[in-house]
Short mmCIF file of all heavy atoms in Angstrom, two decimals:
data_model
loop_
_atom_site.label_atom_id
_atom_site.label_comp_id
_atom_site.label_asym_id
_atom_site.label_seq_id
_atom_site.Cartn_x
_atom_site.Cartn_y
_atom_site.Cartn_z
N PRO X 33 -23.64 -3.61 -7.14
CA PRO X 33 -22.58 -3.49 -6.13
C PRO X 33 -22.91 -4.19 -4.81
O PRO X 33 -22.64 -3.68 -3.74
CB PRO X 33 -22.42 -1.97 -5.95
CG PRO X 33 -23.69 -1.38 -6.40
CD PRO X 33 -24.40 -2.36 -7.28
N LEU X 65 -9.81 4.28 3.23
CA LEU X 65 -9.17 5.25 4.12
C LEU X 65 -10.14 6.39 4.46
O LEU X 65 -10.22 6.83 5.61
CB LEU X 65 -7.91 5.82 3.45
CG LEU X 65 -6.73 4.84 3.32
CD1 LEU X 65 -5.68 5.40 2.35
CD2 LEU X 65 -6.09 4.56 4.67
N ASN X 112 9.78 2.76 6.47
CA ASN X 112 8.47 3.20 6.94
C ASN X 112 8.59 4.17 8.10
O ASN X 112 9.70 4.54 8.50
CB ASN X 112 7.62 1.98 7.31
CG ASN X 112 7.21 1.20 6.08
OD1 ASN X 112 6.79 1.78 5.08
ND2 ASN X 112 7.34 -0.11 6.14
N MET X 330 5.51 12.86 0.44
CA MET X 330 4.37 13.79 0.40
C MET X 330 4.77 15.21 0.78
O MET X 330 4.21 16.18 0.25
CB MET X 330 3.24 13.30 1.33
CG MET X 330 2.55 12.05 0.84
SD MET X 330 1.91 12.22 -0.84
CE MET X 330 2.95 11.06 -1.72
N ILE X 374 21.18 -4.99 -17.94
CA ILE X 374 21.26 -3.52 -18.10
C ILE X 374 22.07 -2.91 -16.95
O ILE X 374 22.86 -1.98 -17.16
CB ILE X 374 19.84 -2.90 -18.14
CG1 ILE X 374 19.01 -3.49 -19.27
CG2 ILE X 374 19.91 -1.37 -18.26
CD1 ILE X 374 19.52 -3.21 -20.66
#
Side-chain angles (χ1 to χ4, degrees):
L65 290 166
N112 289 315
M330 290 306 113
I374 302 296

